[in-house]
Amino acid sequence: MWASVLMLVVGVVGSDQWGRLKHLQTGLKAMPAPVSIVGTAPSVQVLCGERTFLVIVGLDLFGTGHLIRASELTLGPSGCPFTQLDTWANTVLFHRGLSECGSAVMVTEHHFLYSTHLYYTPKQPGSAIVRTAMTIAHIECSYLRKDNVNSQAVGPTWASFSSLVTRGKFLSYSLLQMNDNWDAERASNRYYLGEFIHIEASVVGSSHVLLRVYVDTCVATLTPDKVSTPRYPLVDFHGCLVDSRGGDSRSSLVSPRTQPDKLRIKLGAFRFPNARSLIH
């Protein structure tokens, strides 16, 4: 029967061995948390890092001068093999993530505990079976809890301009018929020739800086289909009020703007010849 031995190791490794392990120190920073190993083998050392841990096992596992095979050592319930063999120092290294190889995680009032086991499974040459398997060491990395956390990512409470453009539902556009004073929506959509149709285009973006709105194109038709015929372009060429170029037209853009996010157009009333008077 193997006697249990408790050892507390705080990342102490021999100076000659440490020189050969320097290249593994990326992401493996010494932590103020205790490192514990419980088991029968005095040749097992552990370094606990922020995201990974390093187990260093001497092949003279029991201090008898007899070297075991590196392939006979595995880590955790998943049976992870060693990651590096140092034939000069007769050591094997297991450099793994804290949650790899079936490591168990336990949360206490003050600590996070990651624990696993190192297994030794001796094999007889030429035999297809294994008669014995033993737990060499119980390995545990302990970290102090400083705050309560959860697994949900924290996102910003504001939206960038590019995201607003991509997700247009955040921008509310409107095109209204206004009264002569531009202070309310017009109650009636009936006009007489010679009157002005007051059209106001606007955009509202909640929680966003003030935007300047433009009208790229605007077409008058007899049906809701903008490509139907007959049709008459009112605004074209990326914002040009082409209706104002007619010799008998008094249409114009209201300038200067009262607000950047509103564009007002005074459009002279008209009708299509030989057609009903309703215009879209």
Side-chain angles (χ1 to χ4, degrees):
M1 179 178 294
W2 296 97
S4 296
V5 180
L6 174 64
M7 297 181 292
L8 293 182
V9 182
V10 189
V12 178
V13 183
S15 59
D16 57 337
Q17 191 178 36
W18 182 259
R20 294 189 301 275
L21 300 179
K22 274 188 175 181
H23 65 283
L24 291 177
Q25 295 308 302
T26 301
L28 194 64
K29 300 178 182 178
M31 301 293 291
V35 181
S36 63
I37 308 171
V38 181
T40 62
S43 57
V44 180
Q45 295 175 305
V46 174
L47 292 176
C48 291
E50 293 179 356
R51 297 179 178 85
T52 62
F53 65 95
L54 178 65
V55 181
I56 308 166
V57 187
L59 293 180
D60 185 6
L61 191 60
F62 305 108
T64 61
H66 174 70
L67 302 182
I68 66 171
R69 299 182 183 89
S71 60
E72 296 175 340
L73 293 170
T74 57
L75 186 66
S78 301
C80 290
F82 63 88
T83 55
Q84 186 174 338
L85 172 63
D86 189 338
T87 56
W88 188 85
N90 290 323
T91 58
V92 292
L93 308 180
F94 295 85
H95 187 202
R96 299 289 182 176
L98 289 174
S99 300
E100 292 182 8
C101 304
S103 297
V105 183
M106 183 172 63
V107 181
T108 67
E109 183 178 359
H110 301 292
H111 294 86
F112 289 102
L113 303 177
Y114 294 84
S115 61
T116 189
H117 293 83
L118 180 68
Y119 296 98
Y120 170 51
T121 307
K123 301 176 182 178
Q124 295 182 3
S127 175
I129 64 172
V130 175
R131 296 187 182 275
T132 59
M134 62 183 70
T135 301
I136 297 302
H138 173 78
I139 300 168
E140 183 177 279
C141 290
S142 177
Y143 302 90
L144 287 173
R145 291 180 61 184
K146 295 184 179 180
D147 294 293
N148 292 322
V149 298
N150 59 46
S151 61
Q152 297 180 351
V154 178
T157 57
W158 52 269
S160 65
F161 175 73
S162 58
S163 65
L164 290 176
V165 172
T166 303
R167 303 173 64 186
K169 63 182 180 181
F170 286 97
L171 297 177
S172 176
Y173 294 94
S174 67
L175 190 66
L176 303 176
Q177 300 175 78
M178 305 296 290
N179 61 20
D180 292 344
N181 296 323
W182 300 94
D183 57 6
E185 190 174 357
R186 196 173 191 268
S188 173
N189 65 349
R190 184 182 297 272
Y191 296 91
Y192 294 95
L193 293 177
E195 289 186 318
F196 281 110
I197 303 174
H198 295 87
I199 298 176
E200 182 179 86
S202 63
V203 59
V204 177
S206 58
S207 304
H208 197 277
V209 296
L210 197 61
L211 301 173
R212 180 177 290 270
V213 67
Y214 296 92
V215 175
D216 190 67
T217 59
C218 183
V219 179
T221 62
L222 292 174
T223 69
D225 185 2
K226 65 180 181 179
V227 297
S228 63
T229 55
R231 63 178 179 271
Y232 176 63
L234 302 173
V235 179
D236 205 351
F237 304 109
H238 305 294
C240 179
L241 184 62
V242 294
D243 181 61
S244 65
R245 300 171 62 182
D248 56 348
S249 173
R250 296 187 297 148
S251 300
S252 64
L253 298 173
V254 178
S255 181
R257 298 186 186 218
T258 57
Q259 295 176 224
D261 57 353
K262 291 182 179 180
L263 178 64
R264 291 173 174 175
I265 303 174
K266 293 176 62 175
L267 187 65
F270 64 93
R271 61 186 296 270
F272 287 99
N274 303 321
R276 56 193 178 91
S277 59
L278 186 62
I279 296 175
H280 293 268

